[in-house]
């Protein structure tokens, strides 16, 4: 840290300092220049220190999953497959069960061995069903939590062993402390998943939370408990030496040899030639390789130290893993007035206003936009504080895609309470207020509706024509409505039922989802999506990956996991760690890149 503050560059560091220690020092560099001597080259750099990055770091640190012979998996077909190579860790079942069962049709050159490794995971995943689109995620989940979707709590069929000779050097870069976005969530709410589903391999969740159970039917956790668990997990498993906190990545570029092509930094051209000591590289290009036979990436950014001090850094990596999650950028309505100071996009703003007593029973209603669980949490927060709510959402109340219809009532009573209010306290079935308290409709001569809604067809007697509407005293829902605009006089304009409605509000919460922020990639990573013409969106347009290695189909050496590939639940994102670790272990083992001295030079 002292070297960082005095502005030393990589060439000033002693050559005897191992590569990850140099990386953790985060030397001071101008963002437009390269050091005189090459920055360290790491096998793997992981961007994101949430549960995805933590789990992958665990698997890259020599922890290996084996079949526990003292247990029996309730799926007899999967159990028989696992028995075929029970002496090997799951991450290295390459040439055993698959070859034995399916015969060998391929010549064992290096490329075809990799294919066999992928096929082996496919073999183990074959026929499994679960709540993830990624087969390896379903596989790893059923090994850790057999038959969890049926309400059972069977023990894991895996046991973990440590092999110090099988570590892969890596660095995990995160904006805050390990745990990612969980540290920023409101601490009093309950997770959707059960607490045991939030745990990571090797450390029982209940062991770190003193076995807390709220009642016999629910074992859900608070975000505060989960964030503490992840932070403690990193320390307990000795992973902290791989983590660099308060780190912001601003650029990821692919360095190539012999081609002057477009870089990956925000789509800008950068034709800088880099001499790695093993050969010459230039930014980006298809078929870009270093002497070891793979791509080479440059990761740039800065580390925030001493509050507002930014210390730039530059690293080289043979592989980069995107584990940034999807909570960076809230989805916006793109309507007039959305940037006004009373319009917010995070439930934490409502919680802050309540805690500071800026809202109370006499305040104008809070407008909540959205029909997901975040919107439901906002409704609960407001109602529990006796604050009136106007709840606007586009879907019909009977729409089968509403998340509430997928949640058991016994486990999620609070969300079903919100759904009941959404169904029974709609603006079409209203209870009259005294005229002195009744919100007055506002005549709007002309307005432009949001893009997602048709233009309103005004009719005689509609709200825009001068009539009024009564609201329930605590909560009123507006199904199949959308926001047209927000006005500077604290009024919002809604459209639905072929009419326009205007209400005075105290604040608005737009909670319609979040998107990942991949600004450090070319075109914000849009070209990596399954549909490259649309932005990356975790549900509709995740990053296109190989389903068994989680490597981006359009960028060899670049991997993605977690919400970026559609796995929004912690119990499934762990499968991405399995797929990536298995792939990297196989590749680096061929090139003898694994630690072979007991890890003495790991840091």
């Amino acid at each position: 840290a002292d070297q960082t503050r005095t502005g030393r560059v990589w060439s000033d560091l002693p050559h005897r300092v191992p590569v990850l220690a140099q990386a953790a020092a985060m030397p001071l560099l101008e963002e437009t220049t390269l050091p005189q001597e090459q920055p360290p080259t790491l096998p793997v750099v992981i961007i994101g220190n949430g549960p995805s990055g933590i789990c992958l770091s665990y698997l890259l640190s020599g922890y290996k999953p084996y079949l526990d012979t003292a247990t029996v998996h309730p799926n007899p077909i999967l159990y028989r497959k696992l028995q075929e190579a029970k002496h090997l860790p799951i991450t290295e079942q390459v040439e055993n069960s698959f070859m034995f069962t399916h015969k060998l049709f391929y010549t064992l050159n290096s490329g075809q061995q990799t294919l066999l490794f992928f096929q082996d995971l496919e073999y183990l995943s074959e026929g499994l069903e679960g709540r993830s689109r990624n087969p390896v995620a379903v596989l790893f989940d059923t090994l850790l939590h057999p038959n969890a979707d049926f309400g059972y709590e069977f023990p894991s069929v895996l046991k973990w062993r440590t092999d110090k000779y099988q570590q892969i050097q890596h660095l995990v870069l995160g904006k805050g402390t390990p745990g990612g976005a969980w540290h920023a969530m409101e601490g009093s709410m309950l997770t959707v998943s059960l607490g045991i589903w939030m745990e990571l391999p090797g450390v029982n969740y209940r062991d770190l939370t003193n076995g807390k159970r709220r009642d016999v039917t629910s074992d859900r956790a608070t975000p505060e408990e989960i964030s503490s668990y992840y932070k403690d997990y990193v320390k307990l498993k000795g992973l902290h030496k791989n983590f660099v906190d308060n780190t912001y990545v601003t650029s990821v570029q692919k360095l190539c040899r012999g081609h002057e092509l477009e870089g990956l930094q925000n789509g800008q051209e950068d034709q800088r030639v880099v001499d790695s000591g093993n050969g010459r590289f230039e930014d980006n290009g298809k078929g870009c390789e270093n002497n070891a036979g793979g791509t080479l990436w440059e990761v740039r950014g800065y580390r925030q130290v001493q509050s507002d001090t930014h210390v730039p850094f530059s690293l080289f990596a043979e592989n980069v893993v995107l584990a940034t999650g999807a909570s960076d950028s809230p989805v916006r309505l793109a309507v007039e007035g959305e940037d006004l100071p009373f319009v917010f996009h995070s439930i934490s703003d409502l919680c802050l206003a309540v805690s500071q007593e800026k809202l109370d029973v006499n305040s104008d209603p809070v407008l909540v936009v959205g029909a997901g669980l975040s919107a439901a949490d906002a409704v609960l927060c407001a109602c529990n504080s006796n604050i009136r709510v106007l709840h606007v959402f586009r879907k019909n109340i009977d729409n089968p895609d509403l998340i509430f219809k997928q949640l058991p009532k016994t486990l999620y009573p609070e969300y079903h309470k919100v759904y009941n209010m959404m169904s029974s306290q709609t603006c079409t079935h209203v209870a009259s207020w005294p005229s002195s308290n009744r919100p007055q409709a506002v005549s709007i001569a002309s307005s432009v509706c949001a893009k997602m809604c048709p233009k309103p067809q005004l009719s005689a007697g509609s709200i825009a024509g001068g009539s009024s509407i009564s609201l329930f005293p605590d909560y009123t829902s507006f199904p199949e409505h959308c926001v047209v605009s927000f006005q500077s006089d604290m009024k919002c304009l809604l459209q639905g039922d072929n009419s326009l409605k205007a209400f005075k509000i105290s604040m608005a919460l737009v909670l319609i989802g979040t998107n990942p922020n991949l600004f450090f990639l070319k075109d914000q990573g849009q070209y990596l999506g399954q549909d490259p013409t649309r932005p990356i969106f975790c549900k509709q347009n995740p990053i296109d990956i190989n389903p068994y290695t989680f490597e981006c189909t359009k960028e060899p050496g670049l991997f993605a996991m977690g919400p970026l590939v559609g796995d929004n639940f912690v119990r499934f994102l762990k499968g991405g760690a399995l797929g990536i670790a298995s792939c990297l272990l196989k590749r680096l083992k061929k090139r003898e890149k694994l630690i072979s001295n007991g890890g003495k030079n790991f840091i």
Side-chain angles (χ1 to χ4, degrees):
D2 291 335
Q3 291 174 334
T4 298
R5 284 193 289 272
T6 56
R8 293 195 178 191
V9 295
W10 287 113
S11 56
D12 296 325
L13 293 173
H15 292 292
R16 60 182 175 82
V17 179
V19 64
L20 288 187
Q22 295 182 35
M26 290 300 174
L28 179 63
L29 291 172
E30 295 295 333
E31 294 232 11
T32 57
T33 64
L34 281 174
Q36 294 179 354
E37 290 191 11
Q38 200 63 34
T41 299
L42 300 168
V44 185
V45 167
I46 304 168
I47 303 175
N49 65 354
S52 295
I54 296 172
C55 187
L56 180 55
S57 178
Y58 177 76
L59 292 178
L60 297 181
S61 297
Y63 292 95
K64 293 191 173 184
Y66 290 79
L67 178 66
D68 187 349
T69 55
T71 63
V72 177
H73 196 282
N75 184 324
I77 299 177
L78 175 60
Y79 185 66
R80 177 178 55 80
K81 294 178 181 179
L82 293 169
Q83 289 274 31
E84 293 170 3
K86 59 185 178 182
H87 60 288
L88 289 176
I90 302 299
T91 51
E92 293 187 12
Q93 293 187 20
V94 182
E95 299 175 4
N96 295 277
S97 59
F98 177 79
M99 291 184 182
F100 175 80
T101 306
H102 291 271
K103 306 296 183 183
L104 181 58
F105 296 106
Y106 301 99
T107 303
L108 293 180
N109 58 41
S110 60
Q112 289 166 333
Q113 281 183 331
T114 301
L115 172 63
L116 287 170
F117 178 72
F118 302 165
Q119 291 291 337
D120 187 59
L121 284 180
E122 182 177 7
Y123 169 63
L124 292 175
S125 305
E126 186 180 25
L128 298 178
E129 296 181 353
R131 290 188 287 172
S132 172
R133 71 184 76 187
N134 296 312
V136 177
V138 176
L139 169 66
F140 204 27
D141 177 66
T142 193
L143 295 176
L144 293 169
H145 304 287
N147 282 5
D149 285 334
F150 296 102
Y152 297 106
E153 197 173 318
F154 292 137
S156 170
V157 297
L158 299 178
K159 60 181 178 180
W160 297 86
R161 300 175 186 169
T162 307
D163 187 346
K164 294 182 179 180
Y165 295 91
Q166 294 290 304
Q167 300 178 46
I168 298 179
Q169 291 180 328
H170 65 281
L171 204 62
V172 184
L173 309 179
K175 296 178 181 178
T177 55
W182 286 96
H183 291 288
M185 296 182 185
E186 208 283 316
S188 63
M189 297 175 184
L190 295 178
T191 59
V192 176
S193 297
L194 301 182
I196 57 172
W197 292 353
M198 310 294 290
E199 67 185 20
L200 299 179
V203 178
N204 188 286
Y205 164 76
R206 294 195 185 111
D207 291 344
L208 292 189
T209 56
N210 299 319
K212 289 182 182 177
R213 292 185 72 98
R214 288 175 175 78
D215 55 62
V216 295
T217 61
S218 177
D219 192 18
R220 295 160 63 194
T222 66
E224 183 179 5
E225 293 169 349
I226 294 301
S227 61
S228 296
Y229 168 82
Y230 292 144
K231 190 175 179 179
D232 293 340
Y233 180 94
V234 171
K235 295 179 181 178
L236 284 173
K237 295 317 228 176
L239 308 178
H240 56 278
K241 58 183 177 291
N242 303 315
F243 283 71
V244 184
D245 303 341
N246 304 315
T247 305
Y248 298 79
V249 173
T250 59
S251 169
V252 175
Q253 293 180 314
K254 183 162 62 175
L255 305 179
C256 301
R257 176 174 24 177
H259 299 282
E260 294 184 356
L261 296 175
E262 187 180 23
L264 287 179
Q265 180 182 6
N266 302 327
Q268 298 175 355
E269 290 191 2
D270 187 345
Q271 298 178 352
R272 182 176 63 251
V273 179
V274 179
D275 188 346
S276 69
N278 295 324
R280 293 174 62 82
F281 297 85
E282 295 177 2
D283 289 344
N284 200 16
K286 297 178 180 178
C288 138
E289 296 185 348
N290 60 23
N291 279 354
T295 56
L296 187 67
W297 301 86
E298 182 190 43
V299 180
R300 287 186 164 226
Y302 63 89
R303 187 181 188 191
Q304 185 171 334
V305 295
Q306 296 180 340
S307 65
D308 294 332
T309 303
H310 291 177
V311 182
F313 69 88
S314 177
L315 298 169
F316 283 170
E318 296 174 0
N319 302 278
V320 172
V321 180
L322 303 176
T324 58
S327 60
D328 290 324
S329 301
V331 178
R332 297 173 62 88
L333 292 170
V335 299
E336 177 188 351
E338 193 169 3
D339 293 322
L340 288 171
F342 65 91
V343 181
F344 300 91
H345 297 81
S346 171
I347 189 175
S348 60
D349 295 300
L350 173 62
C351 298
L352 180 62
V354 171
S355 65
Q356 295 178 346
E357 298 183 350
K358 294 181 179 179
L359 299 174
D360 56 34
V361 65
N362 296 317
S363 302
D364 290 317
V366 169
L367 178 73
V368 177
V369 183
L373 297 182
S374 294
D377 287 334
V379 170
L380 290 168
C381 178
C383 290
N384 291 338
S385 301
N386 296 318
I387 298 168
R388 291 177 288 164
V389 176
L390 306 180
H391 189 187
V392 178
F393 46 95
R394 293 173 53 200
K395 292 180 180 178
N396 183 284
I397 197 64
D398 295 320
N399 191 308
D401 292 332
L402 283 174
I403 184 64
F404 310 99
K405 293 182 174 291
Q406 305 170 33
L407 301 176
K409 291 183 180 180
T410 54
L411 290 180
Y412 307 95
E414 75 277 25
Y415 290 133
H416 280 275
K417 175 184 176 182
V418 173
Y419 179 66
N420 288 335
M421 291 194 300
M422 292 168 63
S423 305
S424 61
Q425 296 182 215
T426 68
C427 62
T428 55
H429 300 85
V430 296
S432 297
W433 280 5
S435 59
S436 59
N437 295 331
R438 184 177 300 153
Q440 298 299 311
V442 178
S443 178
I444 306 296
S446 61
S447 299
V448 179
C449 187
K451 294 179 180 179
M452 69 285 291
C453 298
K455 292 185 177 180
Q457 302 296 322
L458 300 181
S459 60
S462 68
I463 298 300
S467 62
S468 61
I469 185 171
S470 297
L471 303 174
F472 284 90
D474 55 349
Y475 169 97
T476 304
S477 69
F478 294 81
E480 299 181 88
H481 280 65
C482 68
V483 176
V484 175
S485 67
F486 299 101
Q487 305 298 325
S488 58
D489 59 356
M490 304 286 287
K491 291 187 177 130
C492 65
L493 181 64
L494 310 180
Q495 189 267 319
D497 296 331
N498 294 321
S499 66
L500 291 174
K501 305 174 181 68
F503 300 98
K504 194 171 188 305
I505 59 176
S506 58
M507 72 183 300
L509 288 167
V510 179
L511 303 172
I512 55 176
T514 57
N515 282 331
N517 189 353
L518 301 177
F519 71 95
F520 50 83
L521 294 175
K522 172 186 174 183
D523 297 330
Q524 299 191 39
Q526 181 171 315
Y527 76 107
L528 299 173
Q530 293 180 353
D531 181 355
T533 65
R534 300 167 54 205
I536 298 297
F537 191 66
C538 301
K539 293 183 179 179
Q540 280 79 24
N541 190 37
I543 291 178
D544 191 18
I545 57 167
N546 180 303
Y548 304 103
T549 67
F550 289 75
E551 188 172 30
C552 298
T553 57
K554 299 179 179 67
E555 286 290 1
L558 185 65
F559 297 79
M561 62 185 302
L564 293 175
V565 298
D567 286 328
N568 294 300
F569 293 102
V570 173
R571 59 180 288 201
F572 292 115
L573 61 79
K574 292 174 280 193
L578 175 67
I580 295 171
S582 299
C583 176
L584 294 177
L585 282 166
K586 177 76 163 61
R587 290 181 182 177
L588 296 180
K589 195 170 184 179
K590 289 179 185 177
R591 295 162 46 193
E592 298 181 351
K593 282 278 187 176
L594 297 177
I595 301 280
S596 59
N597 59 355
K600 294 180 181 179
N601 292 331
F602 190 42
I603 298 297

